[in-house]
């Protein structure tokens, strides 16, 4: 599994550097999108995975679920930071500013705040049992905000964020290369997440 | 332990009465919340030289003041019992849901008093024109319900934490964002009198209901 992941990751990096054509008018740096999209994806699934294991912990009181929930949050926190930074670089290239409180930027920032709050709560409680309980409760409470923010944010902030699939030019064959590499990168990042979670 | 609705209401009333008596006898928490709000408003107004602000700034500042003053006031909702070691005893005497709702109503009433105190001061110091008072009152009312529900559960979450002050606000802020963002937008429309979006009031109401339900379900697991 480890070797396969390393080969896959290297192959994707190779494909991004040599196979994918430069994005029109933005140059090579715009290829950061192949890093940004997968990290953002993992940041989001890690959030829901954490909440899922939190619910399982509360139902079963099995501490291995608490460990998984905490690990999902730790991985998610790293990935959300990576995604935010790479997104800001891409934003500078396309919109001319690192930050402008776009809907996606706002939501990812809220995700950083939730991860930060959750991890701070974990280090602030010493008793293992209480820590597991309170962090599971907080994890589930924070998930409740998601559907509301999805509804509210687009009403309050204007979005410039591109549609999920990057389109570099009108040519179909180019799009398909980009799409395949991007999807492969997303799968690769997901596998890395699963690997880190189950280590 | 299943209780009849009547018995539950009695217990909630008893907890509410107990907290009011403690609140009146030791006025420190309440006074701290009020003066925290006053200090923040005075600080903001002084630092800006008493200029009146654009409605969107006023709306955001008002909710910031309410949020942080509320944090100062309600973070220690369970501390009295936790410090004196009586929380376990209280759980023996009363149903756990009665404790939650008793505390939640107490927090809500304290926040209402906070709003009655600070909103007029804010309006005067920042020379704010309130065009639609009804919208403002409805927004504050719905906002404070959600803040009380989320705040009471967060206070229960942080009761065993070693760091409290900062932790409470960083935990509460992300989960109350679906209340704050519409509340700020609605407060702005209450000041300008234009662009009223009834959907946002509905969103706040639904989120309040969800927060109350979720608090009730999740509080059981904290036992």
């Amino acid at each position: 599994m480890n070797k396969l992941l390393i080969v896959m990751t290297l192959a994707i990096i190779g494909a991004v550097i040599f196979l994918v054509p430069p994005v029109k008018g933005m140059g090579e740096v715009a290829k950061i999108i192949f890093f940004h999209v997968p990290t953002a994806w993992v940041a989001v699934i890690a959030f829901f995975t954490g909440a899922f294991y939190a619910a399982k912990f509360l139902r079963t009181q099995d501490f291995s679920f608490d460990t998984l929930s905490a690990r999902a949050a730790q991985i998610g926190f790293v990935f959300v930071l990576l995604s935010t930074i790479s997104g800001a670089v891409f934003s500078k290239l396309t919109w001319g500013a690192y930050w402008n409180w776009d809907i996606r930027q706002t939501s990812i920032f809220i995700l950083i705040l939730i991860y930060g709050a959750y991890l701070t709560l974990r280090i602030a409680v010493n008793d293992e049992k209480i820590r597991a309980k309170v962090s599971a409760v907080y994890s589930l409470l924070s998930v409740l905000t998601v559907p509301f923010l999805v509804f509210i944010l687009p009403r309050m902030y204007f979005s410039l964020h591109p549609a999920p699939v990057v389109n570099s030019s009108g040519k179909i064959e180019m799009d398909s290369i980009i799409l395949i590499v991007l999807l492969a990168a997303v799968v690769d990042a997901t596998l890395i997440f699963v690997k880190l979670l189950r280590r | 332990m299943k209780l009849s609705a009547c018995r539950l209401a009695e217990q909630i009333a008893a907890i509410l009465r107990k907290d009011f008596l403690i609140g009146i006898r030791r006025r420190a928490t309440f006074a701290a919340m009020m003066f925290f709000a006053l200090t923040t408003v005075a600080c903001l107004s002084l630092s800006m030289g008493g200029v009146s602000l654009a409605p969107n700034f006023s709306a955001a500042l008002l909710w910031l003041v309410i949020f942080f003053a509320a944090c100062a006031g309600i973070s220690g909702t369970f501390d009295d019992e936790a410090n004196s070691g009586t929380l376990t005893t209280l759980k023996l005497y009363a149903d756990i849901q009665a404790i939650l709702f008793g505390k939640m109503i107490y927090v809500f009433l304290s926040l209402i008093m906070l709003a009655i105190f600070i909103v007029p001061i804010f309006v005067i110091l920042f020379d704010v024109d309130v065009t639609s008072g009804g919208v403002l009152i409805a927004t504050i009312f719905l906002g404070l319900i959600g803040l009380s529900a989320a705040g009471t559960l967060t206070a229960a979450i942080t009761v065993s934490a070693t760091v409290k002050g900062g932790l409470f606000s960083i935990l509460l802020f992300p989960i109350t964002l679906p209340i704050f963002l519409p509340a700020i937008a609605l407060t702005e429309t209450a000041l300008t009198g234009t662009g009223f979006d009834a959907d946002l009031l509905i969103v706040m109401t639904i989120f309040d209901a969800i927060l109350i339900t979720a608090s009730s379900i999740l509080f059981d697991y904290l036992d």
Side-chain angles (χ1 to χ4, degrees), chain B residues 34-72:
Chain B
M34 296 299 186
F35 282 101
F36 186 94
L38 184 63
T39 309
T40 327
V41 172
C43 192
L44 286 167
S45 182
L46 272 171
S47 59
M48 289 178 213
V51 291
S52 59
L53 297 169
N56 55 343
F57 282 119
S58 303
L61 280 183
L62 177 64
W63 280 98
L64 269 181
V65 170
I66 291 177
F67 176 78
F68 283 106
C71 281

Side-chain angles (χ1 to χ4, degrees), chain A residues 58 110 113-114 117 120-121 124-126 130 133-134 137-138 140-142 144-145 148 151-153 155-157, chain B residues 153 157 160-163 167 170-171 173-175 177-178 181-182 185 197 199 203 206-207 210 214 218 221-223:
Chain A
L58 287 182
I110 295 167
L113 291 180
I114 293 176
T120 314
L121 175 66
V125 180
N126 291 329
I130 298 174
K133 269 187 208 171
V134 294
V137 165
Y138 187 71
L140 289 174
L141 196 60
S142 59
L144 290 178
T145 59
F148 285 87
F151 178 77
I152 296 165
L153 291 178
R155 284 169 172 256
M156 307 187 60
Y157 302 89
Chain B
L153 189 68
I157 286 175
S160 319
T162 47
V163 207
L167 184 67
I170 61 168
L171 288 175
F173 185 68
I175 52 171
L177 261 178
L181 296 175
D197 184 357
D199 285 359
V203 168
I206 298 172
F207 193 65
I210 287 182
L218 292 172
Y221 290 103
L222 289 175
D223 193 11

Side-chain angles (χ1 to χ4, degrees), chain B residues 7-87:
Chain B
R7 182 96 184 88
L8 191 69
E10 261 175 37
Q11 290 192 349
I12 292 174
I15 301 230
L16 192 59
R17 189 168 159 268
K18 170 190 89 65
D19 277 355
F20 259 112
L21 283 176
I22 294 172
I24 291 166
R25 270 185 216 148
R26 281 197 306 101
R27 291 169 292 270
T29 317
F30 201 67
M33 177 166 73
M34 296 299 186
F35 282 101
F36 186 94
L38 184 63
T39 309
T40 327
V41 172
C43 192
L44 286 167
S45 182
L46 272 171
S47 59
M48 289 178 213
V51 291
S52 59
L53 297 169
N56 55 343
F57 282 119
S58 303
L61 280 183
L62 177 64
W63 280 98
L64 269 181
V65 170
I66 291 177
F67 176 78
F68 283 106
C71 281
I74 64 183
S75 62
T77 304
F78 289 91
D79 282 3
D80 274 335
E81 288 88 350
N83 291 339
S84 55
T86 51
L87 196 55

Side-chain angles (χ1 to χ4, degrees), chain B residues 64-201:
Chain B
L64 269 181
V65 170
I66 291 177
F67 176 78
F68 283 106
C71 281
I74 64 183
S75 62
T77 304
F78 289 91
D79 282 3
D80 274 335
E81 288 88 350
N83 291 339
S84 55
T86 51
L87 196 55
T88 326
T89 326
L90 189 63
K91 283 173 184 169
L92 282 177
Y93 277 103
D95 184 72
I96 187 125
Q97 293 296 322
I99 299 175
L100 174 74
F101 283 101
K103 292 278 185 189
M104 206 186 277
I105 295 168
Y106 176 70
V107 165
F108 176 66
L109 294 175
S110 330
L111 291 183
I112 289 284
M113 282 188 260
L114 169 74
I116 291 173
F117 172 70
I118 204 65
V119 175
I121 295 176
F122 187 90
V123 167
I124 293 166
L125 286 184
F126 283 96
D127 194 18
V128 178
D129 285 327
V130 181
T131 317
S132 171
V135 175
L136 185 65
I137 290 169
T139 307
I140 290 176
F141 187 75
L142 289 173
L144 295 187
I145 291 178
L147 204 54
S148 317
T152 310
L153 189 68
T154 311
I157 286 175
T158 52
V159 82
S160 319
T162 47
V163 207
K164 290 227 175 91
L167 184 67
F168 185 82
S169 8
I170 61 168
L171 288 175
L172 188 60
F173 185 68
I175 52 171
T176 44
L177 261 178
I179 291 173
F180 277 107
L181 296 175
I184 292 170
L186 284 166
T187 306
E188 189 188 338
T189 62
L191 302 185
T192 56
T194 52
F196 174 68
D197 184 357
D199 285 359
L200 290 178
L201 272 181

